[in-house]
């Protein structure tokens, strides 16, 4: 008799899944993924699959126009910039950091020929908010450079003065600042760094500014949220994940650069067996120079199918529905004086907690986990243990939000009774 191991599946697309951030899924995207698997191309170059390359270039221009990206980031017919689909925002951050590292080393060597590459590498410093995703620190670890956190303010955002203070201190110590990762929609609480203050500083100091908007970037297709992207014109690279909130299933992470030569200059190798007669002409580009791996899937099919099926209006309604539901949950929390909201609710994430100790809130989350009715994950905000409630599923409705709140509220009631009884006994 064959004994199968017990296999557990976390249902990311359940309307009762409120953890992390959304993982997008839709029937057009799934159909496109099946077609991608059926075609089976490995699109490392235009010659390896012209359609794979050219559709990606066009789709990233479409998507860039949907969020009103400056023209410098678009490929167009003869632009210097352009977009590429990476596997994840983590890859996009790493790619931009490595490109910035190469660019800075070459610049410093031209200015100070007496310095070796090793001398320069030892003095390079990257920066990110203390609220930035852990993948930024990981990129620095892989890139072999120092990284420092820039303190965020009371709204969990990095402002210009905080960055300037850190830069001045490091330059005085002989270090070379070269890279700053600004975050739009941080993972803990969906806060937004102040691009209009940070961008001019980075430009003045010859620091590559990369913008990580992995979750929040999808919302910029809605005019009422586009202001959150103001300042992108100062950036060297920008990234968000359609596979989070734009109904394109994983993996599909959109990245744009102002000067694609900055990427190809860092990663370009041309063995004879990969060369062809149409390199870098018009819409012909070889995306192997824009990424870590050589091979790549036909991921732009997913983007094309979803954009054609839903249209901009349909995708806007999807985003707006999630934002409405997050404010519904926020309203329910605010009606219960036992709870508090811990950060401004801007998009589809609500950070809340019971008023009281971290231990009390850890106990509440444990109760939620053990009941297995809904799924949440926590974060720390200024040493406070906070529960994150993210609107995730394509099929989530108001009834699911009401159910989730009633469930949390009842578990809190039961917990507080037990908590008080134990307190009195002690």
């Amino acid at each position: 008799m064959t004994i199968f191991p017990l296999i557990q599946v976390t249902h990311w697309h359940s309307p009762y899944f409120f953890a992390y951030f959304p993982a997008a899924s839709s029937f057009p995207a799934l159909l496109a993924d099946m077609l991608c698997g059926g075609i089976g191309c490995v699109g490392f170059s235009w010659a390896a699959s012209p359609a794979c390359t050219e559709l990606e270039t066009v789709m990233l221009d479409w998507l860039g126009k949907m969020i009103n990206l400056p023209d410098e980031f678009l490929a167009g017919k003869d632009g210097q910039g352009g977009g590429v689909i990476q596997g994840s925002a983590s890859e996009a951050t790493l790619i931009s950091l490595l490109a910035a590292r190469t660019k800075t080393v070459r610049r410093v060597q031209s200015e100070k020929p007496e310095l070796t590459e090793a001398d320069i590498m030892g003095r390079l410093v990257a920066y990110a908010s203390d609220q930035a995703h852990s993948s930024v620190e990981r990129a620095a670890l892989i890139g072999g450079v120092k990284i420092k956190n820039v303190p965020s303010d009371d709204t969990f955002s990095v402002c210009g003065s905080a960055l300037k203070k850190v830069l001045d201190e490091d330059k005085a110590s002989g270090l070379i600042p070269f890279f700053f990762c600004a975050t739009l929609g941080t993972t803990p609480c969906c806060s937004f760094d102040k691009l209009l203050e940070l961008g001019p500083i980075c430009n003045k100091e010859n620091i590559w500014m990369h913008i990580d908007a992995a979750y929040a970037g999808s919302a910029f297709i809605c005019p009422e949220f586009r202001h959150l992207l103001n300042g992108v014109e100062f950036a060297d690279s920008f990234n968000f994940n359609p596979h989070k909130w734009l109904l394109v299933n994983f993996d599909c992470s959109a990245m744009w650069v102002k000067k694609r030569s900055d990427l190809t200059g860092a990663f370009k190798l041309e063995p004879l067996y990969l060369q062809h007669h149409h390199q870098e002409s018009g819409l012909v580009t070889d995306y192997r120079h824009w990424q870590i791996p050589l091979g790549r899937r036909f991921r732009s099919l997913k983007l094309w199918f979803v954009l054609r099926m839903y249209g901009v209006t349909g995708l806007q309604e999807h985003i707006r529905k999630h934002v409405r539901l997050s404010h519904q949950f926020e309203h329910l929390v605010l009606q219960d004086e036992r709870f508090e909201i811990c950060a401004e609710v801007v998009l589809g994430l609500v950070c809340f907690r019971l008023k009281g100790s971290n231990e009390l809130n850890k106990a509440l989350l444990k109760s939620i986990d053990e009941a297995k009715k809904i799924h949440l994950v926590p974060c720390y905000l200024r040493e406070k243990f906070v529960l994150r409630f993210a609107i995730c599923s394509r099929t989530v409705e108001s009834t699911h939000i009401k159910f989730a709140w009633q469930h949390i509220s009842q578990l809190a009631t039961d917990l507080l009774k037990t908590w008080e009884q134990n307190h009195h006994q002690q």
Side-chain angles (χ1 to χ4, degrees):
M1 184 177 73
T2 303
I3 301 175
F4 292 99
L6 178 64
I7 300 173
Q8 294 182 328
V9 174
T10 300
H11 293 285
W12 278 70
H13 304 291
S14 163
Y16 299 104
F17 182 95
F18 302 105
Y20 311 109
F21 276 132
S25 180
S26 66
F27 292 108
L30 292 173
L31 180 61
D33 231 1
M34 291 169 63
L35 184 56
C36 168
I39 293 172
C41 69
V42 184
F44 49 78
S45 71
W46 179 88
S49 182
C52 178
T53 296
E54 294 188 25
L55 185 64
E56 184 161 334
T57 302
V58 173
M59 287 303 99
L60 269 293
D61 273 6
W62 278 20
L63 192 56
K65 290 174 182 176
M66 283 170 61
I67 61 173
N68 200 20
L69 267 187
D71 287 344
E72 302 153 283
F73 288 97
L74 307 181
K77 289 185 178 178
D78 52 6
Q80 293 187 339
V84 58
I85 299 176
Q86 305 286 2
S88 66
S90 305
E91 285 181 45
T93 301
L94 174 59
I95 288 289
S96 59
L97 181 138
L98 294 176
R101 187 189 72 180
T102 299
K103 188 176 181 180
T104 304
V105 168
R106 289 173 181 169
R107 175 178 59 81
V108 175
Q109 278 187 319
S110 68
E111 294 170 355
K112 301 177 180 178
E114 71 277 9
L115 292 178
T116 66
E117 184 173 333
D119 292 333
I120 299 168
M121 283 283 292
R123 290 160 61 182
L124 292 179
V125 191
Y127 303 86
S129 166
D130 56 17
Q131 301 296 311
H133 194 271
S134 59
S135 60
V136 185
E137 183 178 352
R138 196 161 182 263
L141 184 67
I142 296 170
V145 295
K146 302 180 187 69
I147 187 166
K148 293 191 177 184
N149 285 336
V150 182
S152 55
D153 62 17
D154 292 341
T155 63
F156 307 104
S157 306
V158 169
C159 61
S161 58
L163 176 61
K164 191 171 187 311
K165 183 174 184 292
V166 177
L167 293 180
D168 288 346
E169 291 171 356
D170 285 351
K171 286 195 298 179
S173 301
L175 298 175
I176 304 172
F178 82 104
F179 178 84
F180 174 67
C181 181
T183 307
L184 299 181
T186 58
T187 301
C189 67
C190 199
S191 58
F192 293 78
D193 289 341
K194 296 173 181 174
L195 298 184
L196 289 169
E197 297 178 17
L198 299 163
I201 295 171
C202 290
N203 288 179
K204 181 183 177 184
E205 300 289 345
N206 258 329
I207 293 171
W208 181 299
M209 184 165 80
H210 173 69
I211 298 175
D212 174 13
Y215 161 67
S218 297
F220 303 151
I221 68 171
C222 301
E224 64 270 30
F225 299 123
R226 174 55 179 80
H227 69 278
L228 296 167
L229 187 56
N230 289 348
V232 67
E233 60 270 18
F234 297 108
D236 296 276
S237 54
F238 166 72
N239 166 257
F240 83 91
N241 291 345
H243 69 230
K244 275 193 168 67
W245 208 10
L246 217 56
L247 299 178
V248 180
N249 57 300
F250 189 85
D251 56 349
C252 182
S253 184
M255 177 187 182
W256 291 266
V257 287
K258 262 186 187 166
K259 288 185 66 178
R260 57 177 177 264
S261 59
D262 288 336
L263 293 191
T264 58
F267 304 112
K268 193 168 188 175
L269 292 172
E270 292 284 18
L272 182 60
Y273 49 81
L274 294 179
Q275 294 176 23
H276 55 89
H277 298 299
H278 301 280
Q279 293 177 225
E280 301 300 329
S281 59
L283 279 181
V284 177
T285 188
D286 286 353
Y287 279 122
R288 60 193 167 91
H289 302 312
W290 298 49
Q291 60 176 22
I292 299 285
L294 174 65
R296 55 203 335 271
R297 300 173 68 243
F298 200 166
R299 292 177 291 206
S300 56
L301 271 179
K302 295 186 287 190
L303 203 50
W304 186 36
F305 275 39
V306 168
L307 295 183
R308 290 299 301 268
M309 186 75 180
Y310 285 92
V312 177
T313 305
L315 293 171
Q316 287 173 336
E317 178 48 38
H318 172 67
I319 299 290
R320 287 167 177 153
K321 173 188 171 186
H322 276 198
V323 175
R324 285 196 302 271
L325 292 176
S326 72
H327 286 297
Q328 177 188 348
F329 185 80
E330 177 192 24
H331 180 68
L332 292 169
V333 173
L334 289 172
Q335 287 181 316
D336 191 327
E337 61 183 13
R338 300 174 299 173
F339 286 86
E340 61 182 337
I341 297 291
C342 304
E344 182 185 1
V345 179
V346 180
L347 297 177
L349 175 68
V350 182
C351 291
F352 73 105
R353 73 195 299 273
L354 276 168
K355 295 174 182 175
S357 66
N358 284 348
E359 288 68 30
L360 178 64
N361 283 279
K362 287 177 183 178
L364 175 58
L365 183 60
K366 185 180 179 186
S367 298
I368 293 170
D369 286 343
E370 289 175 349
K372 297 181 180 179
K373 301 286 186 186
I374 62 174
H375 187 30
L376 308 180
V377 293
C379 70
Y380 274 105
L381 294 175
R382 299 286 185 262
E383 309 305 321
K384 280 187 176 182
F385 186 87
V386 172
L387 279 63
R388 297 170 72 263
F389 188 92
I391 310 298
C392 292
S393 172
R394 176 174 55 86
T395 59
V396 66
E397 300 290 347
S398 179
T399 52
H400 301 112
I401 304 302
K402 291 175 184 174
F403 172 85
W405 174 247
Q406 289 167 359
H407 180 59
I408 293 168
S409 181
Q410 185 58 54
L411 290 176
T413 299
D414 298 342
L415 174 65
L416 288 169
K417 284 180 184 176
T418 306
W419 206 263
E420 288 170 7
Q421 289 171 0
N422 291 341
H423 181 71
H424 287 313
Q425 289 173 1
Q426 291 174 357

